[in-house]
Structures are given as C-alpha cells and as structure tokens.
C-alpha cells in the first residue's frame, strides 16, 4: 500500500503542476476573473485547495485540532490575491511537507481517528485521508476546467490515466538512453 499511496500523491502533485503550467500560459486576468461556478474565480478555487492541503497535511501529521483551527484564517489569507506563480510556490511548499510526511510514515494504513466539532468522530486510516486529499484536488481541478471554458479557454488534461501514460513514456525514454 505504501507504493500506491506515494504514487497517488505523486499523481496529485503532477496534476496540480500541469494545471499551473497551463494557467501560466493564459492571459493573467483569467486567473482572477469572476465566473458563475462553485467558487467565484480560478484563484479562489486554488485558494480553497491550498487551505484544504494545509488542513489535511496537519490532520495527517496528527496535529491537534486546537492547534489547527487557529491557523485556518491565516492559511486562507495567505492564498488571497496571489498570482499564478505565487500560488504555485505555496503549493510547492505544502507538497514538500507532504513528501516529508510520507517518508516519515512507514505504514500508510496506520489507523487514525479524526475528531471534528460538527461531523463527529471518524475512525479511518492514513491512506484513506491521503486518498481524500487526492480526490478533492481532482474535483476542484475539474471546477477550474469548467471556469476556463466559461472564459473561452481550454482546460488541460489531468486525469490519472494521462499521468500513467506520461510516466510510462518517461520510463521508456530513460530505458532507451
């Protein structure tokens, strides 16, 4: 399961990077343009994703809720008004922290209990929470694609299958050198 958890997270980072690469090629105003969607703009969507990444990084690191909740507002503000490149750097920072945590977690199926003030207690596993982080990112990258289309721009393919194909092609290229 360790390999699968690491690969899913690697896919998540790859997909976010593809999205950032694509956004960097578009007119700057597209990132902050108001649209009718789940969030009012692409930048707000990525801000939400960043907050979620920070939150669940802390949950997986088993930081107590009393230490997490006071940071939520700061993480939200940290992502507001950022450019594509600034947002990319925020995501890179949290991705590095996730990779460190994955290296320090020898058992990705270790049992965990999450206590939420509204939703109650959840007995789960590290790998399930990590899967939720990846799934959440996939969902919101889809939102971004819809927002871009509303503005007359194409999205970028970030499906897991594209990741696997690219990974295989890269491995094949290395094997032919």
């Amino acid at each position: 399961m360790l390999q699968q958890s690491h690969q899913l997270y690697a896919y998540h980072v790859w997909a976010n990077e593809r999205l950032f690469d694509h956004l960097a090629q578009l007119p700057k105003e597209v990132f902050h343009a108001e649209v009718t969607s789940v969030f009012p703009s692409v930048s707000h969507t990525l801000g939400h994703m960043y907050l979620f990444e920070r939150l669940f990084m802390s949950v997986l690191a088993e930081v107590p809720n009393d230490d997490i909740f006071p940071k939520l507002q700061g993480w939200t503000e940290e992502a507001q008004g950022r450019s594509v490149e600034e947002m990319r750097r925020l995501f890179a920072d949290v991705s590095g922290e996730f990779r460190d945590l994955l290296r320090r977690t020898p058992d990705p199926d270790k049992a965990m209990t999450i206590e939420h003030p509204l939703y109650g207690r959840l007995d789960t596993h590290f790998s399930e929470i990590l899967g939720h982080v990846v799934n959440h990112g996939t969902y919101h990258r889809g939102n971004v694609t819809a927002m871009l289309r509303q503005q007359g721009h194409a999205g970028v393919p970030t499906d897991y299958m594209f990741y696997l194909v690219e990974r295989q092609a890269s491995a094949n290229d290395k094997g032919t050198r």
Side-chain angles (χ1 to χ4, degrees):
M1 185 57 97
L2 180 62
Q3 186 64 23
Q4 183 180 14
S5 293
H6 284 231
Q7 180 168 313
L8 280 176
Y9 189 72
Y11 153 69
H12 177 65
V13 172
W14 170 89
N16 284 342
E17 273 301 307
R18 277 198 71 154
L19 180 59
F20 282 120
D21 287 346
H22 182 65
L23 291 170
Q25 301 303 312
L26 298 175
K28 292 189 185 326
E29 61 271 10
V30 168
F31 191 58
H32 295 287
E34 292 218 6
V35 295
T36 303
S37 191
V38 176
F39 292 95
S41 68
V42 171
S43 65
H44 277 87
T45 306
L46 289 170
H48 166 78
M49 289 171 66
Y50 175 73
L51 170 65
F52 187 90
E53 299 269 327
R54 282 280 174 210
L55 170 66
F56 276 91
M57 172 65 218
S58 297
V59 168
L60 285 169
E62 300 181 279
V63 174
N65 284 347
D66 289 343
D67 293 339
I68 296 173
F69 291 145
K71 294 179 180 176
L72 294 176
Q73 185 63 36
W75 291 332
T76 299
E77 291 170 3
E78 188 176 17
Q80 289 178 348
R82 299 289 182 157
S83 69
V84 171
E85 287 307 314
E86 290 170 328
M87 191 66 78
R88 180 196 299 255
R89 283 192 292 276
L90 290 176
F91 272 75
D93 290 346
V94 77
S95 295
E97 291 176 33
F98 259 106
R99 285 187 183 110
D100 289 344
L101 179 63
L102 288 171
R103 281 191 288 275
R104 293 190 322 264
T105 306
D107 180 11
D109 286 323
K110 79 175 186 173
M112 297 185 76
T113 299
I114 298 173
E115 296 280 347
H116 190 279
L118 297 176
Y119 304 118
R121 176 188 168 115
L122 174 65
D123 294 318
T124 187
H125 296 92
F126 183 98
S127 59
E128 289 177 318
I129 298 167
L130 187 60
H132 178 60
V133 169
V134 173
N135 189 56
H136 182 263
T138 299
Y139 174 77
H140 287 302
R141 285 187 297 272
N143 293 148
V144 169
T145 295
M147 292 174 177
L148 293 177
R149 288 179 193 260
Q150 279 184 14
Q151 297 181 63
H153 300 282
V156 61
T158 58
D159 289 356
Y160 186 64
M161 190 59 62
F162 289 103
Y163 165 75
L164 293 176
V165 167
E166 186 175 298
R167 203 172 131 213
Q168 180 176 307
S170 176
N172 289 343
D173 287 346
K174 288 178 186 174
T176 59
R177 289 184 198 166

